[in-house]
Amino acid sequence: YEKIVFKIVPEEAARLATRLGYTMVSPCSHAFTQKFGYHPGPVRRRAPATDGVSSSTGPCGIFAGAGTPSGAAPMKFPYAINDFGTLIRGGYFYQDRTDRIPQLEETGRQLIFIRPRRFGKSLLLSMLEHYYDVNRADQFETLFGHLAIGRNPTPLHNQYLVMKWDFSLVDAQGSLPEIKAALYRHVNDRIIRFQHTYTDRLPVPIAIEPTNAVSSWESALTAIAETPYPLYLLIDEYDNFANEVLMTG
């Protein structure tokens, strides 16, 4: 068997076990509880396995194994992996949500995902990045061919220049001018990365103003306007540094 232990709170463990077809049956050992501070308990398959994975129980985790002579590969669960390309190419378990893409496109131009932490928002943004990026058009079949959206893609797939900001990387320590400078550095760094990624598609260079990311942003928009492609901007952890500022005063 392959033992899979998740360092997550009991509610998350129960939800995950239910999704995978298991049910909790008893608490974990005292030693495990002492180490991790929680006890999701061993789990047991609710029904006879029909997917090559044997039913089993064991201490402190979900047990899955190749239970047939064919040697079906055990599930690879992507704990802490939020890069869609890495997840798909690595053969990790992925709960297909791509059938929601048409709904997202119909909803509007500015979307805010406000689900709680650890609900897969970063992975969702990464999936959208891979889906819309014009530079990844030759990877579409590999990444999405086996998913719902791959069987019925929207006309907008691989039609955008994609820029991604991650505000969890912004240092929220120090005075407000220092935090502003950290935010400007991050935005400038991502604009520079964007320019390197799409060098062959941008007809004019982007001017980076080290002390004023707003000016850099305006220059980026000017360059993008000279291309036939629209911009898809993704902002991950958009409230992270703001929360830090509020909590630290």
Side-chain angles (χ1 to χ4, degrees):
Y1 297 124
E2 173 162 323
K3 183 178 180 182
I4 310 171
V5 178
F6 302 95
K7 189 177 179 183
I8 49 181
V9 299
E11 292 82 4
E12 291 173 319
R15 183 167 54 251
L16 175 62
T18 299
R19 176 184 297 175
L20 299 182
Y22 292 83
T23 182
M24 297 294 175
V25 294
S26 65
C28 273
S29 67
H30 177 71
F32 189 86
T33 303
Q34 287 293 103
K35 181 176 181 180
F36 292 108
Y38 70 94
H39 46 84
V43 294
R44 183 172 57 211
R45 199 71 179 251
R46 287 200 305 266
T50 59
D51 55 3
V53 179
S54 62
S55 302
S56 55
T57 62
C60 310
I62 295 174
F63 274 67
T68 66
S70 61
M75 176 183 294
K76 295 171 64 177
F77 193 81
Y79 182 74
I81 298 176
N82 57 20
D83 179 78
F84 180 77
T86 298
L87 185 149
I88 296 298
R89 292 191 182 91
Y92 289 92
F93 170 78
Y94 177 67
Q95 180 65 41
D96 189 0
R97 308 288 191 192
T98 60
D99 60 331
R100 273 66 167 187
I101 288 178
Q103 300 175 36
L104 294 178
E105 292 184 356
E106 294 171 1
T107 298
R109 293 170 58 89
Q110 292 85 30
L111 304 177
I112 300 178
F113 302 112
I114 54 175
R115 302 288 284 176
R117 296 186 65 82
R118 313 307 302 172
F119 265 69
K121 296 188 297 297
S122 294
L123 179 58
L124 172 62
L125 294 191
S126 180
M127 183 270 287
L128 294 175
E129 176 185 6
H130 285 75
Y131 182 76
Y132 288 111
D133 185 5
V134 64
N135 277 5
R136 292 185 168 100
D138 61 343
Q139 305 171 28
F140 182 82
E141 186 61 30
T142 299
L143 297 176
F144 295 97
H146 62 295
L147 301 176
I149 198 66
R151 295 186 289 271
N152 189 25
T154 66
L156 294 179
H157 78 87
N158 302 118
Q159 296 297 310
Y160 287 83
L161 306 179
V162 180
M163 188 184 302
K164 186 176 182 181
W165 302 346
D166 183 356
F167 286 173
S168 69
L169 302 177
V170 176
D171 186 1
Q173 305 300 315
S175 64
L176 286 179
E178 290 172 331
I179 296 172
K180 179 181 178 180
L183 174 60
Y184 276 7
R185 283 194 300 272
H186 176 73
V187 172
N188 274 333
D189 288 345
R190 291 308 173 101
I191 294 175
I192 292 171
R193 177 185 295 185
F194 174 86
Q195 181 165 231
H196 289 168
T197 299
Y198 298 108
T199 298
D200 295 338
R201 300 184 186 274
L202 295 172
V204 296
I206 298 174
I208 302 297
E209 173 53 56
T211 61
N212 188 353
V214 176
S215 178
S216 304
W217 175 241
E218 290 292 339
S219 180
L221 293 179
T222 299
I224 293 168
E226 296 295 320
T227 76
Y229 305 104
L231 174 69
Y232 205 112
L233 177 64
L234 299 165
I235 304 178
D236 200 6
E237 301 285 351
Y238 63 90
D239 61 342
N240 180 72
F241 70 94
N243 288 338
E244 289 292 329
V245 171
L246 292 175
M247 287 188 293
T248 59

